[in-house]
Amino acid sequence: MGFLSNDQLIFIFGLLGNIVAVGMFLAPVPTFYTIFKRKSSEGFQSIPYSVALMSASLLLYYGILKTNASLLISINSIGCAFEVTYLIIYLIYAPKQERMHTVKLLLIFNLGSFGSMLLVTMLLIKGSNQLSVVGWICAVFSVAVCAAPLSVMRRVIRTKSVEYLPFALSASLTLNAVMWFFYGLLQHDYYIALPNVLGFLFGIAQMILYMVYKNPKNNGEEKEDQLAGNKEVEKMTNENESCSVDDPDMETKISTCCFKPKKSNANKKMEVICTNV
């Protein structure tokens, strides 16, 4: 790609990163359409949107401090607008307890933490050190955000189901990480580039897990085991002797299912209480 200058490549990767990231910001739209339709956000959590707002706010501040970062500023401005909109909708339709929890989260985490960092870096840190400190804060927070899918990956491995791992979202995260990695690398901005290496690796790992567990073979085996268990219960039920026992202290009867193994004595009868009438 020698026919393109370094600045042109930076613009191309930044523009592609903006396009992919907008698609990712639009991903929760079906969720919030469901919330709007149900007039309730019960069953959904506000933490992912609060974290996303914090991440976009940090990178927006970093882009403002940095020179020639219009693409970084544009995408994170859009991101802040999306996340604020999602949180407003969530607060409107959230139950009282969840609404109070979200308000506390926003006040302490978003306003408190971000506001404190903003004041410290603006008042106490000057010159090039200001950009470095904010860059490190952004990098550490981005690494933490990139590591968030670990819980989903563990759930996929445990349940052997990709129900909670949409392939399209994993592919978008991977592609987004690639775009911003090259954007940061070409600018020698390692605060942007390095966290996206981790994002790329986690994205690839999620897609591999999806390919491994998307096959319904495991689910089929579980269904076969369940059917076999049902047949065994039916077989035992057909071999049972129904009996009832009078309770001297009560006017009711206790129904029992007396299962007798085929090759056992009557004295080795196994009783299982089925229902209390």
Side-chain angles (χ1 to χ4, degrees):
M1 300 179 68
F3 57 90
L4 293 175
S5 67
N6 190 68
D7 289 341
Q8 288 174 323
L9 288 173
I10 290 172
F11 177 78
I12 289 171
F13 281 112
L15 181 62
L16 291 173
N18 272 251
I19 294 170
V20 176
V22 167
M24 290 172 56
F25 288 135
L26 288 170
V29 168
T31 297
F32 283 89
Y33 176 74
T34 301
I35 290 173
F36 175 76
K37 196 173 181 180
R38 288 169 42 186
K39 307 298 182 185
S40 172
S41 59
E42 189 174 0
F44 298 96
Q45 293 184 338
S46 61
I47 293 177
Y49 311 104
S50 176
V51 171
L53 177 60
M54 182 69 166
S55 179
S57 300
L58 285 170
L59 288 168
L60 177 60
Y61 179 44
Y62 176 74
I64 292 172
L65 294 176
K66 183 180 170 64
T67 56
N68 299 322
S70 58
L71 290 171
L72 199 60
I73 293 172
S74 64
I75 189 56
N76 286 289
S77 299
I78 294 171
C80 287
F82 270 107
E83 302 307 330
V84 167
T85 302
Y86 292 147
L87 285 165
I88 289 173
I89 296 172
Y90 183 91
L91 287 170
I92 291 172
Y93 295 110
K96 184 177 180 180
Q97 186 176 357
E98 288 298 322
R99 186 183 298 116
M100 294 304 298
H101 173 75
T102 302
V103 170
K104 290 178 182 178
L105 181 68
L106 293 173
L107 290 174
I108 296 172
F109 182 62
N110 294 87
L111 292 180
S113 300
F114 180 73
S116 299
M117 185 275 298
L118 199 65
L119 289 174
V120 169
T121 54
M122 289 180 67
L123 299 177
L124 302 180
I125 303 172
K126 302 295 182 181
S128 60
N129 290 333
Q130 188 181 46
L131 184 65
S132 298
V133 170
V134 176
W136 274 111
I137 293 172
C138 288
V140 171
F141 194 82
S142 295
V143 167
V145 171
C146 288
L150 281 173
S151 60
V152 177
M153 293 167 66
R154 183 178 62 182
R155 187 171 190 175
V156 170
I157 294 172
R158 188 177 69 250
T159 62
K160 295 181 173 56
S161 170
V162 296
E163 181 182 359
Y164 301 99
L165 186 66
F167 183 82
L169 183 58
S170 299
S172 298
L173 289 170
T174 306
L175 187 60
N176 186 64
V178 170
M179 297 306 161
W180 290 108
F181 167 76
F182 282 109
Y183 175 86
L185 184 66
L186 291 168
Q187 281 194 330
H188 305 288
D189 187 343
Y190 301 109
Y191 302 121
I192 299 296
L194 292 180
N196 283 292
V197 174
L198 191 62
F200 172 76
L201 293 176
F202 277 125
I204 292 294
Q206 288 180 68
M207 289 193 290
I208 291 173
L209 281 177
Y210 185 91
M211 298 304 293
V212 170
Y213 292 112
K214 73 170 184 176
N215 194 329
K217 179 180 179 181
N218 293 326
N219 294 334
E221 290 176 354
E222 291 178 1
K223 289 180 179 179
E224 289 178 3
D225 292 341
Q226 185 178 2
L227 289 173
N230 290 340
K231 289 180 180 178
E232 184 66 23
V233 171
E234 183 179 354
K235 182 179 178 182
M236 292 175 65
T237 304
N238 291 334
E239 295 173 359
N240 78 80
E241 293 180 1
S242 297
C243 57
S244 61
V245 179
D246 292 326
D247 189 338
D249 298 326
M250 302 176 64
E251 295 180 357
T252 59
K253 290 186 177 181
I254 301 175
S255 297
T256 63
C257 299
C258 307
F259 295 110
K260 289 185 179 181
K262 287 184 177 179
K263 297 180 180 179
S264 64
N265 298 325
N267 294 332
K268 295 181 179 180
K269 179 175 63 177
M270 177 178 64
E271 294 187 355
V272 181
I273 296 179
C274 297
T275 58
N276 292 330
V277 181

